[in-house]
Amino acid sequence: ALQRDLAWQTFALDQHAIVSVTDAAGRILHANERFCTLTGYTPDELIGADHRILSSCLHPPEFHAAMWRTIAAGRVWHGELCNRSKSGELHWVDASIVPLAGADGRPERYIAIRTDVTARKRIESALREQLHFGRELLDAIPVAIYFKDTRGRFVGMNRALEWLFDIDRDSAIGRTSAEVFAD
């Protein structure tokens, strides 16, 4: 019954998550079907390979060093990673890497459980670009413009308002007109 329950749990996890298991050196021992589909690699290409095969080179070496320090110390690591598939396409995953300790208490394997967040990252990037464009457009308007929250506190303004009233938007944000102009 215990083995059947474990098989069901593994099946359920595999239906949602991108899963891999590595040895202590980071060599891949297992990659589920979702992992293979996302990366474009076959299990034969992955088993025995290092996860660096997926490196996007977007993260600085310090990022990976901190991740390895965390898991080598036996702690769970959580974060977002950008990887590169076999075809060269970039994809983002939200990952948890769980160390599995051996008899000596030191990690002997790592299980990485990931969710593909590429679509969300693309939307976030597009939103950042749109917000930047909106801010630039607002700042290009020569008429003083501001907007406030329901409590009357500034949440934004353009350059024209800063110039007209000789105020700094960073110091005005979050304050009321009375607070800003009392200075």
Side-chain angles (χ1 to χ4, degrees), residues 4-86:
R4 185 186 71 219
D5 289 348
L6 182 58
W8 285 348
Q9 289 173 10
T10 301
F11 175 77
L13 182 63
D14 284 343
Q15 298 313 298
H16 171 78
I18 301 152
V19 180
S20 66
V21 179
T22 67
D23 64 15
R27 287 183 300 272
I28 300 170
L29 303 172
H30 168 78
N32 74 349
E33 186 177 328
R34 292 180 66 82
F35 187 100
C36 294
T37 300
L38 179 65
T39 65
Y41 288 100
T42 66
D44 288 341
E45 292 172 306
L46 291 169
I47 304 302
D50 187 285
H51 266 278
R52 283 181 278 231
I53 193 173
L54 304 172
S55 178
S56 66
C57 298
L58 292 183
H59 302 287
E62 303 81 36
F63 176 86
H64 293 289
M67 177 183 64
W68 274 102
R69 270 193 309 277
T70 300
I71 62 176
R75 295 188 314 272
V76 176
W77 181 87
H78 301 281
E80 290 184 346
L81 290 162
C82 182
N83 288 327
R84 186 177 306 278
S85 68
K86 185 177 178 179

Side-chain angles (χ1 to χ4, degrees), residues 112-144:
I113 302 168
R114 303 170 197 83
T115 303
D116 184 358
V117 293
T118 305
R120 189 197 83 216
K121 294 296 265 189
R122 286 184 182 141
I123 291 168
E124 287 173 354
S125 178
L127 180 59
R128 273 192 305 276
E129 288 175 22
Q130 289 174 1
L131 288 172
H132 176 73
F133 175 76
R135 282 191 296 271
E136 291 295 315
L137 185 61
L138 189 65
D139 276 343
I141 297 172
V143 176

